[in-house]
Amino acid sequence: MDMEQAARIRQLREMIDSAGRVVFFGGAGVSTESGIPDFRSADGLYRQNYPYPPETILSRSFYERHPDIFFRFYREKMLFPKAEPNSAHLSLAELERRGKLTAVITQNIDGLHQKAGSRRVLELHGSVLRNHCQQCGRFYGLEAVLESEGIPRCACGGRIKPDVVLYEEGLDEETVRQSVQAVSQADLLIVGGTSLAVYPAAGLIDYCRGRLAVLNKSATPADEQADLVIRAGIGQVLSQVI
């Protein structure tokens, strides 16, 4: 690590120490260190096995028209039951235990923040750990989809749908409301592991009234307005400041 990077990490530590309320907003880059790939960057790989891009397969209209292909892709590319929290997840959970972090807002659907010990996690895009029958509403865990073949079915015969937000579907209004409230009340918003390319989730930073720190390996649209930008892996950074 060069001296400039070390100085930026010290600055982040000072920003956290001086803040009363810290909120973290993260994306796929938080979980890549746990072995969960960002399907956006692996589009070509997936197209080798599927005649459609991921964004098409993971749309509501495709789910309704071709559920067999949807669930094959979903099981192969979206479910990682053996994944464990990495240093980023663990550092954020520790920050919450210290009374600093008031919320984790995530675009991820893997449940790793909760597995690491975080209690207030706002899942903008849902979770693979929750599934419901579209006919009777019965709840099912991950196993109902993971261990079934073809289209997962409820005991009543209805189709079991993962509680994840597909393309063409809206975000849960209550989750968005709580996220906006958390961001607007934060003294420090840390954005990490996201390119801020997916809306409406990326628009949350517009509600930031406090200081803004961006931790991402590549440039983001928020870099110019940020008080601090660190170009590095999120786990590498957070493990040094928490």
Side-chain angles (χ1 to χ4, degrees):
M1 182 186 303
D2 58 36
M3 293 181 64
E4 182 180 354
Q5 190 85 307
R8 289 177 182 270
I9 290 177
R10 285 196 301 272
Q11 184 180 348
L12 178 60
R13 186 183 301 117
E14 291 167 0
M15 291 170 71
I16 292 173
D17 289 343
S18 63
R21 295 185 178 189
V22 179
V23 169
F24 178 82
F25 172 41
V30 177
S31 291
T32 52
E33 294 176 32
S34 292
I36 298 179
D38 176 0
F39 74 80
R40 292 178 172 278
S41 62
D43 203 19
L45 174 64
Y46 290 175
R47 285 181 177 173
Q48 292 176 15
N49 298 318
Y50 294 89
Y52 310 93
E55 289 85 352
T56 297
I57 298 176
L58 296 174
S59 67
R60 181 60 187 247
S61 57
F62 191 94
Y63 167 81
E64 296 293 351
R65 291 196 307 268
H66 306 288
D68 52 337
I69 300 176
F70 171 89
F71 278 107
R72 182 163 68 91
F73 178 90
Y74 184 77
R75 290 188 186 94
E76 290 182 4
K77 304 299 184 182
M78 305 300 291
L79 301 181
F80 298 87
K82 295 182 180 180
E84 293 294 334
N86 60 54
S87 56
H89 300 105
L90 297 170
S91 296
L92 290 167
E94 174 60 26
L95 195 61
E96 183 185 41
R97 279 192 289 270
R98 295 181 188 177
K100 279 283 185 180
L101 190 73
T102 58
V104 168
I105 303 170
T106 181
Q107 295 171 288
N108 297 335
I109 57 176
D110 49 48
L112 290 181
H113 283 293
Q114 293 93 326
K115 195 171 185 179
S118 290
R119 290 174 293 178
R120 192 182 184 206
V121 181
L122 300 170
E123 297 172 309
L124 292 171
H125 296 156
S127 173
V128 299
L129 304 181
R130 300 188 299 270
N131 305 271
H132 283 88
C133 172
Q134 291 183 269
Q135 186 165 301
C136 72
R138 180 176 174 180
F139 173 85
Y140 286 89
L142 175 62
E143 295 75 15
V145 175
L146 188 64
E147 298 175 3
S148 61
E149 295 183 1
I151 302 169
R153 296 287 180 182
C154 174
C156 77
R159 185 192 301 173
I160 299 173
K161 181 182 181 296
D163 285 358
V164 298
V165 179
L166 303 177
Y167 289 98
E168 303 168 354
E169 292 183 331
L171 304 186
D172 178 74
E173 292 184 4
E174 178 59 20
T175 303
V176 172
R177 186 194 68 78
Q178 290 187 39
S179 299
V180 168
Q181 182 181 51
V183 169
S184 64
Q185 293 177 349
D187 301 312
L188 171 63
L189 174 63
I190 302 174
V191 176
T194 173
S195 60
L196 294 174
V198 178
Y199 283 82
L204 280 175
I205 65 167
D206 295 337
Y207 295 93
C208 178
R209 300 294 177 263
R211 304 178 78 184
L212 174 64
V214 177
L215 320 179
N216 201 51
K217 289 183 177 180
S218 58
T220 79
D223 289 0
E224 289 188 4
Q225 69 189 79
D227 298 280
L228 175 66
V229 175
I230 301 178
R231 297 276 175 80
I234 183 74
Q236 172 193 351
V237 175
L238 289 182
S239 63
Q240 295 182 67
V241 300
I242 306 302

